[in-house]
Amino acid sequence: MALNEKLKSILESFEVRRAKEFDPSVLRNMKGPIINGEEARNIIEIFSSEEYLKNDIDGHLASFVIVSPTGLPMAFFSLRCGELFEKSSTYKIQLSHNAYSAIRTLMANPSITGAEREELMSHIEKAKEEGLSFEDLEQLSSKKVLMKQDELLEVDKDITRVRTVHPAIEIKLFGTNASANSYWKSLDLPEEMKMGETLFWAKVVDKIRQMMEMVGCEFVYLFAADNEAEGELVQYYRVRLNFSSDSKISANKPHFDYMSQFLFQSVKDLFEKQQYFLNNC
């Protein structure tokens, strides 16, 4: 069932404001979200720090606070441009190059015998074991040549070469103000409408949608500060907010996010899940 007018009116009454508009003391007075039974105070300290707020002022990221009609901070988050990628398989590229070269050599010299022929055939057999077609060998072998040419072109530069890149938006430090829990309960919303989850789908996702009117984006991602593979925070992001992980998609992880877990989802899935959530509250 879609949001009724009362619920819709309540959610629309919450405003999303830039963090730089607030006195830092207001942000510092928030109480961190409760994770594994304890307040995650560090997220408040980082979000309200002088350095982090300066990044907002300088435009290096955009930090937001979701506030109630009474001006009470309910939740907070930051957004910034990012990029995900798929790694190049240097093993497959080299294997394909060897196999493709072997095929061309045998086609040009079919009379080759003995150890030389056995070595050439071994390259071809390894490619077959990887399930590579002749078209794959031709394509990947050409990439090997291009990579070598590109290395010469960028000889004095530290470039990481990848297979594919995906435009993305990074969500940083999404959390709720635990001091606002009692206010949320006073709204008498349905039990299943938890504060963090509801504000994420109703407000955070809308900000991402607004960003996409200006900048192309394929994925959203974050680093969940949970040092357990299946910890409470990771499960929250997976189950409640629809994030996942996949070995095919990678991200650059800075020192700031060490001991955090990389999770992502496509914006297509994000918008579909938002619609599903708002239609079933």
Side-chain angles (χ1 to χ4, degrees):
M1 179 178 67
L3 286 173
N4 61 42
E5 289 304 313
K6 177 187 175 183
L7 294 180
K8 186 177 179 181
S9 177
I10 290 174
L11 292 181
E12 288 179 348
S13 70
F14 289 96
E15 183 184 3
V16 182
R17 295 172 54 190
R18 287 295 289 265
K20 62 186 179 182
E21 299 174 11
F22 289 81
D23 186 295
S25 64
V26 174
L27 304 179
R28 286 194 292 270
N29 285 334
M30 293 191 295
K31 184 177 180 181
I34 306 302
I35 301 174
N36 296 320
E38 297 182 359
E39 179 192 358
R41 182 64 197 170
N42 63 317
I43 191 173
I44 299 294
E45 292 173 351
I46 295 171
F47 189 84
S48 62
S49 69
E50 182 179 348
E51 180 182 3
Y52 200 81
L53 291 175
K54 187 177 185 301
N55 282 332
D56 187 23
I57 293 169
D58 291 343
H60 298 165
L61 51 71
S63 293
F64 301 93
V65 180
I66 304 170
V67 297
S68 71
T70 62
L72 176 65
M74 305 293 294
F76 51 92
F77 63 98
S78 299
L79 301 175
R80 69 176 183 179
C81 298
E83 187 175 75
L84 304 182
F85 60 89
E86 296 176 46
K87 296 178 182 178
S88 292
S89 174
T90 53
Y91 169 74
K92 282 191 176 182
I93 289 175
Q94 185 62 56
L95 185 150
S96 299
H97 180 71
N98 293 343
Y100 186 67
S101 297
I103 291 171
R104 288 175 62 88
T105 300
L106 288 169
M107 289 175 66
N109 301 282
S111 60
I112 293 175
T113 60
E116 185 180 359
R117 185 179 185 86
E118 287 180 8
E119 183 180 358
L120 292 171
M121 289 302 299
S122 71
H123 291 311
I124 297 170
E125 289 302 320
K126 287 177 182 178
K128 284 183 179 179
E129 290 171 4
E130 290 290 333
L132 297 169
S133 66
F134 180 78
E135 290 75 16
D136 293 330
L137 300 183
E138 190 173 29
Q139 183 184 55
L140 290 171
S141 181
S142 68
K143 286 186 177 181
K144 171 74 172 178
V145 175
L146 284 173
M147 283 178 68
K148 285 296 183 185
Q149 292 174 342
D150 190 63
E151 286 171 3
L152 293 173
L153 179 67
E154 303 277 15
V155 67
D156 295 323
K157 302 170 187 175
D158 188 8
I159 302 292
T160 301
R161 291 166 181 83
V162 299
R163 181 185 176 195
T164 310
V165 294
H166 302 278
I169 293 171
E170 181 182 6
I171 302 173
K172 292 185 71 67
L173 299 184
F174 170 65
T176 57
N177 176 16
S179 298
N181 288 345
S182 57
Y183 176 84
W184 184 261
K185 290 179 181 178
S186 74
L187 299 175
D188 198 27
L189 297 170
E191 178 64 26
E192 62 270 19
M193 292 184 69
K194 307 300 183 184
M195 180 167 68
E197 181 181 4
T198 300
L199 293 178
F200 176 84
W201 292 114
K203 297 298 181 180
V204 178
V205 176
D206 274 356
K207 276 297 173 190
I208 292 172
R209 193 185 295 273
Q210 290 173 23
M211 285 184 68
M212 288 186 62
E213 293 177 2
M214 303 286 291
V215 179
C217 178
E218 189 178 354
F219 290 97
V220 293
Y221 69 101
L222 52 81
F223 292 97
D226 197 330
N227 55 18
E228 295 183 21
E230 300 299 330
E232 181 181 334
L233 186 58
V234 169
Q235 286 304 305
Y236 175 81
Y237 281 121
R238 289 183 183 275
V239 177
R240 296 291 184 178
L241 304 187
N242 205 43
F243 285 85
S244 63
S245 57
D246 186 327
S247 60
K248 293 180 180 179
I249 300 290
S250 302
N252 291 310
K253 178 186 276 191
H255 183 269
F256 177 87
D257 291 307
Y258 284 7
M259 297 308 293
S260 298
Q261 296 187 50
F262 167 59
L263 299 169
F264 70 94
Q265 65 180 297
S266 71
V267 291
K268 179 178 180 293
D269 289 344
L270 182 79
F271 294 155
E272 287 179 354
K273 184 61 187 290
Q274 180 197 42
Q275 196 60 51
Y276 177 84
F277 179 85
L278 296 177
N279 285 343
N280 290 274
C281 288

